Amino acid sequence: MNDTEIVTEGSGNVFEDLGFDRPSEEQAKAHLVREIRTIIDSRKLTQTQAGKLIGLPQPDLSQLLRGRTRGYTVDRLLRLIMALDRDIEIRITKRPKSRLESRIAVTAA
């Protein structure tokens, strides 16, 4: 490593660091897709089997699982998770004054 290299600390959201318009939403979508993949893997489903359950052709599911979320809203991803027999709980909290903007966060139990 060169002694003159500058390292910039990330924000904690790669989508914000890359300049996406809605970084919080993009990060939430990425987490939802990760959960879809986790459910599919835990149930030992093929992409074809999973696609039939959630109503997506296998090639579209494959693209989604590779992180290509264009055309998918958070709502649509939530419906895909529900089609995989999962309940979803939404919790709304007050934004801390220390943070300038509200955000969307996804956690899986």
Side-chain angles (χ1 to χ4, degrees):
M1 183 167 141
N2 186 336
D3 290 336
T4 60
E5 287 186 34
I6 298 173
V7 176
T8 303
E9 185 174 342
S11 68
N13 181 337
V14 67
F15 299 101
E16 182 178 333
D17 297 340
L18 293 173
F20 279 69
D21 288 337
R22 296 184 181 126
S24 176
E25 183 177 337
E26 293 299 329
Q27 187 172 44
K29 287 168 41 173
H31 288 162
L32 292 171
V33 169
R34 182 178 64 209
E35 187 61 22
I36 290 168
R37 175 184 290 284
T38 299
I39 296 165
I40 290 169
D41 290 347
S42 72
R43 291 179 60 181
K44 296 179 175 33
L45 298 171
T46 65
Q47 286 186 7
T48 300
Q49 292 168 326
K52 287 179 182 175
L53 287 173
I54 64 177
L56 283 181
Q58 183 277 327
D60 292 354
L61 178 57
S62 178
Q63 291 296 310
L64 178 63
L65 295 177
R66 287 190 182 123
R68 295 192 173 86
T69 60
R70 176 175 270 163
Y72 291 89
T73 62
V74 169
D75 177 63
R76 186 174 180 197
L77 294 172
L78 292 174
R79 284 187 272 128
L80 296 179
I81 291 170
M82 290 172 60
L84 291 167
D85 298 326
R86 295 299 191 268
D87 288 335
I88 295 171
E89 296 179 15
I90 297 175
R91 188 179 73 153
I92 300 170
T93 61
K94 186 174 180 181
R95 174 182 50 86
K97 291 180 182 180
S98 61
R99 196 172 352 98
L100 297 176
E101 295 183 9
S102 296
R103 66 184 173 119
I104 298 171
V106 175
T107 57

